[in-house]
Amino acid sequence: FSSICTSFLERFEEENGSIDCMNILEKKLGCNYDLAIKTEVLDYATFGGSDTCTEMVASAVHIASEAINKKI
């Protein structure tokens, strides 16, 4: 089980540059957003934050499905 988790994390980081949400957002969008601040929520939405997060979830699902099918 541990090796599957390690493989998942390594693959996710390889594909997305990090396993940390804030780092991914900074890399993809150019800055971090504090979603507790209303103006930053608006900027996050305006500059594609939701799309970026959706892409990361899709990436995680794809990697997980490969792990389940023993392909990684």
Side-chain angles (χ1 to χ4, degrees):
F1 180 76
S2 166
S3 66
I4 292 171
C5 292
T6 300
S7 294
F8 173 88
L9 291 172
E10 288 173 352
R11 173 88 179 275
F12 187 89
E13 185 169 20
E14 180 182 301
E15 289 186 12
N16 299 293
S18 180
I19 60 170
D20 179 73
C21 179
M22 296 298 273
N23 289 338
I24 292 169
L25 287 176
E26 186 167 5
K27 179 181 175 193
K28 301 276 185 179
L29 303 176
C31 65
N32 294 320
Y33 295 96
D34 184 342
L35 300 181
I37 300 171
K38 190 175 186 174
T39 56
E40 291 197 27
V41 171
L42 295 173
D43 288 343
Y44 167 84
T46 300
F47 296 113
S50 294
D51 292 337
T52 298
C53 291
T54 299
E55 291 170 13
M56 296 308 101
V57 171
S59 173
V61 169
H62 177 75
I63 295 166
S65 77
E66 287 186 349
I68 291 167
N69 291 318
K70 308 287 188 217
K71 292 183 179 177
I72 65 170

